[in-house]
Amino acid sequence: MERELIGVISIVFLIVLLLSRMPVAFVMLVLGMSGIAWIKGLSAALGAASTIMYGTFANYALVVVPLFTWMGYIGYHSGISEHLYEAAYKLVGRLKGGLAMATTMACAAFGAICGSTTATSATFAVLALPEMKKRGYNHSLATANVAASGILGVLIPPSVIFIVYASITAESVAKLFIAGIFPGILLTLLFLGSTYVVVARDPKKAPPGPLFPWKERLKAVAKGGIEVIIIFVAVIGGLLAGLFTGTEAGSVGCFATLLVVLARRALTWKGFIDSLKDTVRTATMVMFLVGAAAVYGEFLGLTRLPMVVADWVVALPLPPSIIIVAVLIILMGMGCFVDALAMVLLTIPIFYPAAMSLGFDGTWFGVIMTLALGMGVLTPPVGANVYVVYAVDKETPVMDIFRGVWPYLISLWICCGILLLFPQVVLFLPNLIR
Amino acid sequence: MNAFDKVLQVITEKMALVAMFAIVACMALVVTDVIRYQIIGKPVPGTHEVVELIASVILSMGIGYLTFVRGHVAVGLLVDRFRPRVQAFFDLVTGVISLGFTIWLTDGVVKMAVRNYNYKWVTGVLEIPRYPFIYLISLALAVTCVVLLRDVIKSVIVLRKGGGDGA
Amino acid sequence: SAPASARKRIQLDFATFWPAGDFQAGVGHKTWMKIIADRVKAETDYEILWTEFFGVHPAKLLDGVEAGTYDVGTSGPGYSPGVFPLWAGPEFPAEAHRKNAYTMSLTLQALHEQVPELQAQFAPTNMKLMHFWSTGPGYFLMTPGKDVRTLGDFAGKTIRAGNPASASTIDALGGEALFAPMSVALERFEAGLVDGILCPTDTPKGFGLGSYVRHVTFAPFSYHFVFFKVMNRGTYDGLPESVRAIFDEVNAEFPAYYGKLRTWGEADGLEYMKELEGYTYYDLAKENPAEYAKWVAATKDLIVEWIDGDSTKQAVWDKFLELDEYYNTTPPYSTWTHSWPTKPEPPSWEK
Ligand code: NA
Ligand code: NA
């Protein structure tokens, strides 16, 4: 049988097994090993799977995944996230939709120390949802806002997604981190805009919160902001100044965060242990997925399907920007059904070569892929952030959360459009350094 | 079943504890390295290869725990709508497939460890042998197999009793 | 030979760590595959279909060939420390000729053929050797303002080494060695944490090092790096005898061709560097022979330490020096010159 056809058959099986509630990592492992066995024999499949698993686990570039995850959990268990929310709450809570806006702003700030999108959403589901509900917020709006704002956690550096993307494509982590800053700010503003429009159309959805005197507001901002600013400046500043590399920034970031929270006596021994335990669970989940996806990716490489698709896409008689829009639509479609990280892992081997042949910048494409992932974690039926929010707040039905998500999806599309028309938004900062 | 569960819990949690310690060790090593080369111009020799080995410890020691607490991502969209017995049937089938392939993979990693031992493949600077770390991964996978076996048994119980605890 | 319909297809997967755009993959490996495929088609009833994988991680490559994921792969003894311990020796610094990649490739292929202990190192593996080849002599490629021209210049400079021999060389010269894979090195170059690299001159173009390095110091005593191409043993044993024979014949020709090609590629890389702003070139042996002698003296004990009284290691080293002398001073090997810059195209394969 033609190898390309074997690749296509595997994709059919992929969908079937995913729908049968088999854990995504095992689906990819099983299909990758079976596929390699089909093409190259049993011993080749076994050899490939074991060396790839070892290669993923003992990988210098990927060790930052647990570290940037830990950084976020230290922030959570030491109350940094709480201070951030309080600051944003006191600052803009008075406005219509102000509490939702405060959540978005706090997520963006928390993104500066947390590398994971689900961790960001989970953190603020705990902090912000009770407050919004107490003030009579529409549940659908409140939960969707938290789910969407979590995306800022992977767009604003540090970002686990950028690290994984860089490890597959050999793009520079440092460049991707820097490149994420402006799009992160842009998306924050667009999310604020989404909330504003929703509330302007139906003010009952988001009654204003209490008014705090300016002195109290400034005090809260100082208290909440200072920790994050110190950590962010230490990590990103050190990275920019060439004090350490993007890979080392994970360890330096954890160390800086620990120093800050210890100086403020904000972290208990129990909090420290809990932060590590949460990290082991999250990081192992991500890395097992990455390893399994690498086995499946190896198989796809052997089928030559990615190369065939890339050649086909490049040969299309369409302008490159239209092709990228098509890629985004495919990703969004896939993102509905496949776990977003798994989707990025599965499609990078196919779309990255295509994007490169079309002449796009690898850093820019990394940001675009991250935005596509952002759509994936929000869209039904499989939207990780929505389920994370649901896990924290069982009161709001999942479909209600999904129903509230569309204004934020529009923001994500607008953000992609702006980056497509003005790639400088992404590339300005990285080019400045070069 | 409960005793079996309890033993598995203790084992996977102890392993997770090793992983937690490894995370802290990794941070300490890299920070020391950065400070050393920034201040006295001399990095800690072989940092990147030790970091790689520590990373393999973090992730292998975490897998059993992850599987035990059912931390893997799965797409429940369709199966979640079914009756518990039908759900248990799906979980049984996919569980057996997962278990079979994980046993196979464990065997592959053991073979890889043996191969590396025979070759005397070491890291470049400190000449640390790779094979103990590969054995460690195979051990972690073996524990994961046991956890997956537990899940399969639970599905069988649900199928036979016809309801109740829908795994 | 048979008509196309009657041909039996053999599908083979070829993997290499070089990026597709590098001459070693784009010209060298592709030529090897094509020559073999053409001859198999012309002389047997079989047909070979190659699938190519470029930019594969070196460590994964060796495992992949071993396991049979890839049928053919390229690596080097330096990429899997401990597995080919005797090969570490010939990469140590010494006042050998190390004229160019062509003479070095012939030297190292002959070394393998003439020393049974070196051949024996492949015995416990699941790999069948195709052939060896080598880089040319070493250069210190340094970032702007970090030029090295005297021993004193090495103090406080971090230089990337690609194998254990180079790491101890850099330390012996007074520098600080960063012995790490190219991916780690590139990240450190980007952060400005590495001041240079000891390697041949094709890397600025082929691996993108041209964004960082500007100063070239020619130091032929210091370095060469050995490569080999291997096939999964099961794949090789499973090939029809007529096809195996063609592989063997073509492989016998290829150390010479890859050597010529690399000599061209390293010259081509240097030409590329000349266009970079701030480029400088320093031939230490020519400009300051007394200083060059000091560098050689500073590193001459490294090989003694490696041999450490072991008679096998001593024999490998003596044979290396003998063959180095032979191929670098005996025509036609010693008199061959590459075509740069009068003919910018890479040398084409001819039997
Ligand atoms: Na972040
Ligand atoms: Na989705």
Side-chain angles (χ1 to χ4, degrees), chain A residues 337-354:
Chain A
F337 299 100
V338 183
D339 172 71
L341 174 61
M343 176 193 77
V344 168
L345 290 168
L346 282 170
T347 54
I348 285 174
I350 296 181
F351 289 140
Y352 177 78

Side-chain angles (χ1 to χ4, degrees), chain A residues 2-3 36 40 43-44 47-48 51-52 60 172 174-175 242-248 298 301-302 304 307 434, chain C residues 9 11-13 50-53 60 63-64 67-71 184 187-193 211-212 235:
Chain A
E2 292 294 328
R3 287 184 175 189
I36 297 172
K40 306 281 319 181
S43 96
T51 52
I52 290 169
Y60 182 72
S172 151
K175 262 193 183 173
L243 291 177
F244 41 79
T245 68
T247 311
E248 291 161 342
E298 181 81 12
L302 281 171
R304 305 183 40 82
M307 291 81 122
R434 228 321 79 91
Chain C
R9 274 183 171 188
Q11 286 219 348
L12 294 176
D13 296 308
W50 291 104
T51 306
E52 298 143 35
F53 296 87
K60 194 176 131 194
D63 270 330
T69 318
Y70 309 119
D71 298 296
V184 176
E187 197 188 48
R188 298 220 172 180
F189 267 114
E190 188 178 34
L193 295 171
S211 317
Y212 311 108
T235 305

Side-chain angles (χ1 to χ4, degrees), chain B residues 126-145:
Chain B
L126 303 174
E127 304 192 344
I128 304 167
R130 304 196 323 166
Y131 74 88
F133 297 89
I134 304 175
Y135 270 123
L136 200 67
I137 294 179
S138 66
L139 177 74
L141 284 170
V143 172
T144 306
C145 288

Side-chain angles (χ1 to χ4, degrees), chain A residues 170-215:
Chain A
E171 293 289 335
S172 151
V173 172
K175 262 193 183 173
L176 281 159
F177 276 14
I178 307 301
I181 296 177
F182 276 167
I185 295 171
L186 175 66
L187 189 63
T188 307
L189 295 174
L190 287 168
F191 279 174
L192 295 180
S194 291
T195 307
Y196 180 84
V197 171
V198 170
V199 178
R201 287 176 49 167
D202 186 359
K204 287 197 300 295
K205 278 188 170 167
L211 176 67
F212 293 93
W214 269 106
K215 202 175 152 194

Side-chain angles (χ1 to χ4, degrees), chain B residues 31-106:
Chain B
V31 170
T32 310
D33 183 44
V34 170
I35 291 173
R36 275 188 53 135
Y37 70 61
Q38 283 301 340
I39 292 178
I40 59 170
K42 284 196 184 298
V44 182
T47 296
H48 86 271
E49 54 190 52
V50 177
V51 165
E52 289 195 334
L53 296 176
I54 295 179
S56 74
V57 174
I58 298 174
L59 299 163
S60 59
M61 290 295 98
I63 294 186
Y65 176 64
L66 172 77
T67 312
F68 185 84
V69 299
R70 295 170 191 277
H72 294 287
V73 190
V75 180
L77 143 84
L78 185 68
V79 176
D80 284 354
R81 295 163 190 266
F82 299 151
R83 284 178 295 123
R85 268 187 93 161
V86 181
Q87 290 192 18
F89 171 75
F90 273 94
D91 288 345
L92 177 64
V93 173
T94 58
V96 168
I97 297 174
S98 301
L99 176 60
F101 275 80
T102 311
I103 291 173
W104 191 29
L105 178 64
T106 310

